[in-house]
Every structure is written in structure tokens, then in C-alpha cells.
């Protein structure tokens, strides 16, 4: 039943995540809808084997040197190759003169736009090789402003340099439409980054409150994931390190790898498989630190090595993390299905990023910006998983803390814990005259029940007695187990002997009344000794001894099973009920 309920919850959460993912994909596709409604840009490509050609040499190339190309086509730019694109730009008769050419990819190394101006060339540059502050138009990704004064076509040249095979879209829009598209993109990214920031802050608050190591790892993971999303989408390069082009280029590999390593370390702590699968947890833990070390060494690796190291780190982190989640699910852990649902969209985004890295698919929204939306979708599910793990751990700690003050069989207070509560009541009665009733309830026929029915039935009778006590006293009144078959109750604020006696009479009658089957059919002969505060003020231990002596004087078959300890009265001098009847 438990597993079925969780499977149903996981299925509902999975449908919500899938619907949110599809909506996010539709939103990302709508960002380029205005550009898709336009005819594709006429363009031709020339791939230079080197980086020595000048713009004058490229412009003088014969027509047969150029090959037809289209936006999104993957070009192999590794090995110091340079891609030159010749674009033919033209506007309609009723369209504005201010236009913008955008490459919505934040990781291109160097992009330059050349357009004729007078007798020379006007150059606009962008890319990781140039500080963002020095771009012709600073932003998340390269964008160039072009002004078309007349209706005649205009030829411009685009130079692209990159260390890996890459394909990229080209967005050609009026400047006003491009501004609105940027605002929509910034809104979506702001929501995603805001969710991650709130999650990281919440984890830091939990660290301060509970001192739990898992929240430390999750806060660190949330911060690195926030930084990775900002790096891949260009937000970090635009706002944080816009003056450092070298780090802006290296951060595209260092930060995602660092996030992958911290992700593995976080998953090891979240899934908590050290007990059942120690070698799996140890291997994942060591792999996480190895990925962190490779992230630190990334800037000093070659371009080809960087590509393979990043791909291996990202895939290993995602696959091993999901394997840990599957193992947690198989053992019945509630964290497992939540983690799997959280990382399913992120796994798609990481797979697309690896395919883009090797030139299988072009760079674009699906292979870059989708990681931000996938991370935002994972936030609520990871929060549920973390809450579930934290609740379990805090529950274990709470049980450990209460194990010294709670009886293992009945769950009521132990003798020492009840004595401490009684000390507070005695102090209040002595200092301020606060009223309370101290009750000692004894199972008089405990020995006969054990002899005729066994230990198991005896324990069930004790549990039944605790249930009866909880029915006649308030939930706030402390109940403690003083001896094997003896319980003490502190009824705080009580001053009426009549109310206390009526409640105890009901308790005794309930014990004698047979129930339905099993231990409920065994009658329990209860004896009750009572002391009223502040009528009888004594040390807690002495008071319990006096009540114990009084209850021993009550026979299990007595017609007066409820007795009160009067002030100044010696319990040993109180006659038994049978002695009273014989004297009568």
C-alpha cells in the first residue's frame, strides 16, 4: 500500500514535470518565432585553413570559392580553422532601418562582423576572446547592430573562430523586436536563476538551524548549479567577469565540470547507500572528487583533451547519479523516485550539450539554455527529496534523544524523566501553591497474568493499561512507568479530590470490563494511590515511596481500590480494606 501510494505520487509528479518541460520548450521555441517567420538569410561560407586572411582578401575571393550555407549548419573549426560567412542583407520597403544580427550562443570564442563604410571596413567584435566590456554591444551573447538605409541589398562578412566543431543559429530581426525577445529571455532566465538562488539560501538557513551535513552539500550544489547555468547562458560572463576574457573562455568548461563533481558528492550523501552498497558509494565519492580535480586542471589541457574531459565528466556524473537514485528506489527509499524525476529533464539537457560538443547537433536553445529550465524544473522535486531525507534523519535523532526519557515498551516517560517533571510540580506547589494530583496506578494481578497467560500477554495488558490512562487524563498530563506494572500520573492544575476519584474509578472499571478477544478479555485489577498538591508536599522520591507503600496496602480484591494520601498520615498505618471489613 505504501509503495503503491508513492508510485502514484511519482507518476503525478512525473506528468507535472513533463508538462512543465514541454511548456518550457514551447516558450523557448516561441522566442525565435518572429525570426522563423522571415525567409532564411542568403549566405555563403568559406572555411579558411588558418587565421591569416584579412577582410580585403576575403572580399576579393572569386564566387566559386564560396559554398552555399544555412544557419545551424555544423562547421569543423578545430585545428585553427576560420569560418567566413558572406551575408546578403536587405529590408522591405516599409520596414525600419535599424536591424540586429544575433548569434544566440554564449560560448563562441571570437566573432567579428565586417561591413563597408566609406573606403574601409567597420568592424564589430564579440566572443570569449574579447572582454564583454569591449564588445560593440555587450550582452549575454554576440549581437551586432546593422543599419540599412535604402532598399538595396547590402553585403556583410562574419568571421567565426572556435576551438571545436560548432553550428549556430543566426537571428536577423529589427532592433525593436530583438529588444523584446531579449526581455523575454531574461525573464525566463531570471525565474530559473531565482529558483536556484532561493533554494541555495534555504539550504544555508537549514544548515544554520539543524547543523546537518547534507544541507551543506546541497547548498554547495545549488550555488555551483546556479553558477553553471549563469555561465552556459552567458549571464555570468555578462555580469560577473566581463573584464576577463581568458576566464570567460575557461569558465565554459571549468564551472560545468565543477558542478558535475559536486553533484556526485551531493548524490552520495542524499541517497545514503553506504550501508547496503558501500563500494558503489565509495566509487561515486572518489569519482566526484576526481571530477573536481579535473575541473581545476581544465585550463591547462589542450583543446581536444578539454572536449573529451568535459564530455566524460558530464556523462559520468549524470549516469552515476541516476544509478544511485535507482539503487535507492530499489531498496524502498522515498528519495529515489523523486531524484529520478528531478534529473530526467536535466539528463536530456546534458545529453544535448555533449552532442553539441562533438558537432552532432548545432548549438542553440535546446543544447544550451534548456539546461537552465531543466535545473529550475528540478528544484521542487529536489526540495521534496531533501525534505524527505532531512525528515528521516531528524526523526532518527529525535528518537535517539527521547530514548533516554521514554519507556521502550509503552512510550511513556521513564522513572527518572517523570521524577524531573514531578520535581517541577512540587516546587510550584511549595513556592506558589499550585495545585496538582499525583497518581500511582498499579496492576495488582500482574503476577497471575504472567503465570497463566505468558510474557507476551502481559506486555499487551500493560499497553492496554497505558491506552486506558490516556483516555482518562489529558494529553498534556505526563505519564511515567515507575516499575514493571506500576505507572505514575501527574494531573497538573487539579485541586478537586472528587474529580480525580471519579476519573480513577472509571479507570478501574475499564480495567475490569472484558473487551473483545485476546488480551482485552483479561481483567486487570487496578489499585490507585493519590496525593494532592499542595496538601501533601514532599520530595518527589519520598512522595513516590509513600504512594507505593499505600498502594501495597490495597488488596487487588479490595472494594476501595482508590485511596488518597492525607497530610501527615503514615501509609503503613492505613488499614487494608479486608481488615476494615473484618473489623466491621
Amino acid at each position: 500500500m505504501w509503495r503503491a501510494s508513492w508510485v502514484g505520487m511519482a507518476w503525478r509528479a512525473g506528468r507535472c514535470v513533463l508538462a512543465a518541460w514541454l511548456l518550457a520548450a514551447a516558450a523557448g521555441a516561441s522566442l525565435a518565432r518572429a525570426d522563423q517567420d522571415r525567409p532564411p538569410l542568403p549566405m555563403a561560407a568559406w572555411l579558411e585553413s588558418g587565421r591569416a586572411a584579412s577582410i580585403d582578401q576575403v572580399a576579393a575571393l572569386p564566387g566559386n570559392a564560396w559554398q552555399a550555407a544555412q544557419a545551424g549548419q555544423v562547421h569543423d573549426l578545430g585545428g585553427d580553422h576560420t569560418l567566413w560567412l558572406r551575408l546578403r542583407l536587405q529590408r522591405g520597403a516599409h520596414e525600419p532601418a535599424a536591424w540586429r544580427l544575433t548569434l544566440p550562443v554564449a560560448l563562441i570564442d571570437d566573432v567579428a562582423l565586417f561591413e563597408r563604410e566609406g573606403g574601409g571596413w567597420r568592424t564589430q567584435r564579440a566572443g570569449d576572446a574579447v572582454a564583454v566590456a569591449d564588445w560593440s554591444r555587450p550582452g549575454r551573447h554576440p549581437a551586432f547592430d546593422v543599419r540599412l538605409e535604402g532598399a538595396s541589398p547590402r553585403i556583410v562578412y562574419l568571421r567565426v573562430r572556435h576551438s571545436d566543431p560548432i553550428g549556430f543559429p543566426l537571428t536577423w530581426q529589427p532592433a525593436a523586436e530583438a529588444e523584446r525577445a531579449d526581455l523575454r529571455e531574461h525573464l525566463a532566465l531570471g525565474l530559473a536563476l531565482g529558483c536556484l538562488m532561493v533554494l541555495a539560501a534555504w539550504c544555508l538557513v537549514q544548515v544554520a538551524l539543524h547543523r546537518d551535513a547534507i544541507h551543506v552539500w546541497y547548498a554547495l550544489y545549488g550555488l555551483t548549479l546556479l553558477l553553471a547555468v549563469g555561465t552556459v547562458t552567458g549571464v555570468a560572463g555578462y555580469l560577473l567577469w566581463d573584464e576577463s576574457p581568458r576566464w570567460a573562455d575557461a569558465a565554459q568548461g571549468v564551472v560545468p565540470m565543477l558542478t558535475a563533481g559536486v553533484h556526485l558528492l551531493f548524490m552520495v550523501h542524499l541517497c545514503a547507500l553506504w550501508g547496503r552498497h558501500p563500494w558503489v558509494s565509495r566509487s561515486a565519492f572518489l569519482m566526484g572528487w576526481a571530477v573536481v580535480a579535473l575541473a581545476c586542471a581544465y585550463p591547462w589541457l589542450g583543446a581536444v583533451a578539454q572536449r573529451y574531459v568535459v564530455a566524460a565528466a558530464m556523462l559520468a556524473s549524470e549516469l552515476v547519479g541516476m544509478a544511485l537514485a535507482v539503487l535507492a528506489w530499489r531498496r524502498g527509499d522515498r528519495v529515489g523516485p523523486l531524484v529520478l524525476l528531478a534529473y530526467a529533464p536535466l539528463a536530456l539537457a546534458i545529453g544535448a550539450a555533449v552532442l553539441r560538443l562533438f558537432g552532432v547537433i548545432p548549438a542553440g536553445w535546446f543544447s544550451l539554455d534548456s539546461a537552465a529550465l531543466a535545473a529550475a524544473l528540478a528544484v521542487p522535486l529536489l526540495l521534496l527529496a531533501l525534505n524527505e531525507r532531512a525528515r528521516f534523519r531528524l526523526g532518527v535523532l529525535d528518537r535517539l534523544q527521547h530514548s533516554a526519557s521514554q519507556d521502550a515498551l509503552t512510550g511513556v516517560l521513564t522513572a527518572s524523566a517523570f521524577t524531573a517533571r514531578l520535581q517541577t510540580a512540587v516546587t510550584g506547589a511549595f513556592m506558589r501553591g499550585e495545585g496538582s494530583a499525583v497518581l500511582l496506578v498499579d496492576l495488582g494481578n500482574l503476577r497471575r497474568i504472567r503465570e497463566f497467560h505468558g510474557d507476551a500477554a502481559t506486555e499487551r495488558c500493560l499497553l492496554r493499561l497505558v491506552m486506558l490512562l490516556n483516555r482518562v487524563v489529558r494529553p498534556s498530563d505526563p505519564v511515567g512507568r515507575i516499575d514493571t506494572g506500576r505507572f505514575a500520573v501527574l494531573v497538573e492544575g487539579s485541586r478537586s479530590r472528587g474529580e480525580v476519584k471519579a476519573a480513577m474509578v472509571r479507570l478501574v472499571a475499564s480495567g475490569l470490563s472484558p473487551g473483545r478477544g485476546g488480551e482485552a478479555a483479561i481483567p486487570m485489577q487496578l489499585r490507585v494511590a493519590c496525593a494532592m498538591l499542595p496538601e501533601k508536599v514532599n520530595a518527589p522520591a519520598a512522595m513516590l515511596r509513600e504512594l507505593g507503600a499505600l498502594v501495597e496496602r490495597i488488596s487487588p480484591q479490595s472494594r476501595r481500590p482508590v485511596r488518597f494520601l492525607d497530610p501527615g498520615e503514615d501509609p503503613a498505618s492505613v488499614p487494608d480494606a479486608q481488615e476494615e471489613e473484618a473489623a466491621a
Side-chain angles (χ1 to χ4, degrees):
M1 182 177 179
W2 172 87
R3 186 179 298 271
S5 64
W6 267 93
V7 168
M9 189 199 71
W11 170 244
R12 291 191 296 270
R15 288 187 298 177
C16 294
V17 169
L18 180 60
W21 176 258
L22 293 177
L23 288 174
S30 66
L31 295 178
R33 185 176 301 166
D35 184 66
Q36 291 174 355
D37 293 338
R38 302 182 181 279
L41 278 175
M43 68 179 68
W46 175 60
L47 189 61
E48 176 192 358
S49 298
R51 300 188 173 185
S54 65
I55 180 58
D56 293 317
Q57 294 172 339
V58 173
L61 288 174
N64 57 7
W66 297 89
Q67 296 181 354
Q70 58 183 358
Q73 180 179 343
V74 177
H75 304 274
D76 188 5
L77 300 184
D80 291 337
H81 286 76
T82 302
L83 175 65
W84 290 87
L85 293 177
R86 185 178 66 186
L87 305 175
R88 184 175 181 271
L89 307 180
Q90 188 176 12
R91 69 179 179 90
H94 302 288
E95 291 181 322
W99 288 72
R100 185 172 301 165
L101 182 65
T102 305
L103 283 75
V105 178
L107 51 81
I108 296 181
D109 292 343
D110 189 8
V111 185
L113 180 71
F114 300 91
E115 52 181 328
R116 287 191 181 274
E117 190 175 75
W121 295 91
R122 177 173 175 261
T123 305
Q124 302 181 59
R125 291 192 63 189
D128 290 341
V130 183
V132 177
D134 297 333
W135 288 10
S136 58
R137 183 178 181 80
R140 294 193 305 114
H141 39 63
F144 307 103
D145 289 330
V146 180
R147 191 165 185 86
L148 303 178
E149 296 295 348
S152 59
R154 187 172 186 179
I155 302 298
V156 299
Y157 295 89
L158 195 67
R159 186 189 68 193
V160 181
R161 290 171 178 170
H162 196 65
S163 58
D164 300 320
I166 192 170
F168 48 87
L170 281 174
T171 304
W172 174 245
Q173 291 176 294
E177 292 185 11
E179 289 288 348
R180 288 193 294 270
D182 285 343
L183 290 177
R184 289 194 296 267
E185 291 179 358
H186 290 160
L187 175 61
L189 289 175
L191 291 174
L193 296 176
C195 290
L196 293 174
M197 191 175 298
V198 169
L199 181 64
W202 181 86
C203 290
L204 292 177
V205 171
Q206 295 300 312
V207 170
L209 291 178
H210 301 296
R211 309 289 182 182
D212 194 353
I214 191 172
H215 286 93
V216 177
W217 284 109
Y218 197 32
L220 183 60
Y221 172 63
L223 292 175
T224 55
L225 185 61
L226 174 66
L227 191 61
V229 170
T231 301
V232 173
T233 57
V235 175
Y238 177 37
L239 300 177
L240 298 182
W241 43 76
D242 56 333
E243 298 285 350
S244 177
R246 184 174 181 181
W247 170 245
D249 183 51
Q252 295 290 343
V254 173
V255 177
M257 288 182 62
L258 184 64
T259 305
V262 175
H263 161 254
L264 269 182
L265 297 175
F266 165 66
M267 286 295 295
V268 170
H269 286 80
L270 181 62
C271 294
L273 297 173
W274 291 97
R276 293 198 177 188
H277 304 281
W279 67 272
V280 175
S281 299
R282 189 178 299 110
S283 301
F285 186 77
L286 295 176
M287 185 180 297
W289 283 114
V291 172
V292 172
L294 285 175
C296 297
Y298 175 86
W300 292 274
L301 301 176
V304 178
Q306 287 178 345
R307 187 192 318 167
Y308 283 96
V309 166
V310 170
M314 301 297 291
L315 290 177
S317 172
E318 192 64 28
L319 292 177
V320 174
M322 296 191 75
L324 292 174
V326 169
L327 291 176
W329 193 358
R330 289 186 59 186
R331 74 173 186 177
D333 196 336
R334 302 184 182 187
V335 170
L338 294 174
V339 173
L340 285 176
L341 288 173
Y343 282 109
L346 202 57
L348 295 177
I350 290 177
V354 172
L355 294 177
R356 190 271 312 160
L357 194 62
F358 289 93
V360 179
I361 62 175
W365 180 88
F366 182 68
S367 59
L368 293 175
D369 292 351
S370 62
L373 294 175
L377 291 175
V379 165
L381 292 175
L382 288 179
L383 188 60
L384 286 175
L386 187 63
N387 283 339
E388 181 63 30
R389 177 64 68 221
R391 187 187 65 83
F392 175 77
R393 293 193 178 192
L394 292 177
V396 172
L397 292 177
D398 186 67
R399 288 193 297 271
L400 289 176
Q401 292 174 356
H402 286 83
S403 61
S405 61
Q406 286 185 340
D407 181 63
L409 174 63
T410 60
V412 300
L413 297 176
T414 59
S416 59
F418 181 82
T419 302
R421 295 290 298 270
L422 181 58
Q423 178 64 53
T424 303
V426 170
T427 302
F430 180 76
M431 300 294 294
R432 296 177 296 275
E434 297 175 353
S436 297
V438 184
L439 315 176
L440 193 67
V441 181
D442 181 76
L443 181 58
N445 59 338
L446 175 67
R447 182 178 301 177
R448 293 179 61 84
I449 293 175
R450 179 176 282 115
E451 290 177 357
F452 286 94
H453 301 281
D455 292 335
T458 303
E459 292 180 355
R460 290 193 291 270
C461 285
L462 292 176
L463 292 175
R464 180 186 168 207
L465 175 56
V466 171
M467 294 174 59
L468 295 178
L469 281 172
N470 289 329
R471 292 178 183 176
V472 297
V473 299
R474 297 168 300 185
S476 59
D477 294 331
V479 179
R481 188 179 181 187
I482 306 303
D483 203 348
T484 303
R486 187 166 292 179
F487 295 86
V489 184
L490 178 61
V491 184
E492 297 175 330
S494 177
R495 292 181 177 271
S496 172
R497 286 194 177 194
E499 293 180 359
V500 173
K501 185 174 182 179
M504 293 301 101
V505 169
R506 292 197 304 271
L507 174 67
V508 173
S510 299
L512 293 174
S513 301
R516 293 184 179 179
E519 72 282 356
I522 302 175
M524 295 186 297
Q525 298 174 346
L526 303 180
R527 301 176 294 181
V528 183
C530 310
M532 302 298 295
L533 298 177
E535 296 179 7
K536 181 76 175 178
V537 178
N538 204 344
M543 182 176 295
L544 291 177
R545 284 196 302 269
E546 292 179 0
L547 290 174
L550 177 59
V551 84
E552 290 292 339
R553 299 287 299 169
I554 303 175
S555 172
Q557 293 84 21
S558 174
R559 295 182 181 180
R560 294 178 53 201
V562 180
R563 302 282 185 90
F564 283 87
L565 188 62
D566 294 325
E569 185 178 45
D570 184 8
S573 63
V574 178
D576 182 37
Q578 292 182 350
E579 297 177 2
E580 293 179 355
E581 293 174 2

